[in-house]
Amino acid sequence: MKEFVAACAQFAVTFNDVQANVQKGVAWLEQAVKEHEAELVVFPETITTGFVTGLDVNALWDLVDDVGGRISREIQAAAKSLKVHVVWASYRRGPERGVIYNSSMLIGPDGEIIGTYDKTHPFPLERCDCGGWVTVGNRAEVFETALGTIGMIICYDGDFPELSRLLAVKGAEVIVRPSALLRSFDIWHLTNAARAYDNHVYMVATNSVGPDAGGSYYFGHSMIVNPIAWRLAQARGGEEIVSAKLDPD
């Protein structure tokens, strides 16, 4: 791992308007690099649509795309132009109609997808086997980058210590956590700090802010936590970018 600046970019979505949210993401990515000199920028969970979409699984499948399509193409181009690593999270199409994954993509500074992670612990209301819309992911890998070894989890995944431990055992030095967490700030802070301290990794956790189509209102407070559980940066409850320098020592 080298020393580098990580940033959390939390902004409010336009419900179910993938193109508008991607374009806003490009603008916020540019701002994070220009104002914070960020080398890794992490966006919230399901940033292309919002977490609750109000759509059935087939309509959502039609709205989104797979990795490399309209859900990420312009972000990949911006990452290449800015020479920055990006974690971009979105619902994405599975291999057949009606299969939807809640995913995060790690994009490299060449604009290519380094790796994709599908949420392995969807919240009960989103699970297709509980009447929701998301198919459960079944793999968790780490990815070697020029910055260090990065693992990805998504929101509710952070409640389960075993998943982050698995990534740490596989060599993760930084775990990123795009989220749309509603339950409480206390749970948000506790789980980020615990996963960092449990595994002696950095946690870069970006939470959603503003409303979604289901009427939920997210509280933001994205944070970057070091391996001894200190918050190096914390956002507030509005649209904001926060950043911190991650020290390999």
Side-chain angles (χ1 to χ4, degrees):
M1 176 181 167
K2 72 166 207 170
E3 184 177 273
F4 69 92
V5 175
C8 300
Q10 61 177 44
F11 68 79
V13 301
T14 302
F15 313 152
N16 299 333
D17 191 334
V18 172
Q19 185 60 27
N21 294 321
V22 168
Q23 289 177 346
K24 190 171 182 179
V26 169
W28 280 66
L29 179 58
E30 291 171 346
Q31 182 182 343
V33 173
K34 179 181 178 181
E35 296 182 2
H36 297 256
E37 300 183 344
E39 297 169 79
L40 170 67
V41 182
V42 180
F43 288 88
E45 180 181 13
T46 60
I47 194 63
T48 60
T49 56
F51 181 72
V52 176
T53 65
L55 303 173
D56 67 30
V57 69
N58 287 307
L60 182 55
W61 196 91
D62 289 334
L63 179 64
V64 295
D65 202 348
D66 201 356
V67 172
R70 61 178 175 272
I71 60 172
S72 66
R73 186 185 303 124
E74 292 178 45
I75 296 294
Q76 291 175 249
K80 182 177 182 179
S81 175
L82 296 164
K83 297 180 171 54
V84 65
H85 293 76
V86 180
V87 174
W88 183 251
S90 176
Y91 292 125
R92 73 175 183 92
R93 290 179 179 177
E96 57 190 56
R97 183 173 178 79
V99 175
I100 293 288
Y101 293 106
N102 184 340
S103 304
S104 61
M105 298 157 253
L106 176 58
I107 302 167
D110 58 358
E112 297 299 315
I113 302 290
I114 296 172
T116 301
Y117 166 71
D118 300 324
K119 193 176 185 181
T120 55
H121 299 78
F123 202 67
L125 71 87
E126 66 177 307
R127 293 175 64 110
C128 63
D129 55 3
C130 295
W133 54 92
V134 167
T135 295
V136 178
N138 61 9
R139 295 190 64 81
E141 305 296 344
V142 300
F143 304 98
E144 301 291 337
T145 76
L147 304 177
T149 306
I150 296 175
M152 294 189 282
I153 64 175
I154 299 174
C155 198
Y156 194 46
D157 283 333
D159 281 37
F160 300 88
E162 298 83 0
L163 176 58
S164 293
R165 176 56 54 87
L166 171 67
L167 296 174
V169 168
K170 289 185 174 187
E173 297 164 299
V174 178
I175 295 177
V176 297
R177 188 188 185 188
S179 298
L181 192 143
L182 279 168
R183 289 166 291 154
S184 73
F185 172 79
D186 301 281
I187 290 171
W188 173 240
H189 175 218
L190 183 151
T191 53
N192 286 324
R195 300 298 81 82
Y197 189 69
D198 287 346
N199 301 296
H200 296 283
V201 297
Y202 283 95
M203 290 290 299
V204 184
T206 308
N207 196 29
S208 299
V209 67
D212 67 17
S216 297
Y217 200 95
Y218 299 87
F219 60 80
H221 286 79
S222 300
M223 61 180 66
I224 300 171
V225 183
N226 77 5
I228 55 170
W230 286 100
R231 279 171 285 174
L232 303 180
Q234 181 179 296
R236 295 163 293 185
E239 294 188 312
E240 183 171 17
I241 297 171
V242 294
S243 65
K245 186 171 288 186
L246 277 53
D247 182 346
D249 292 329

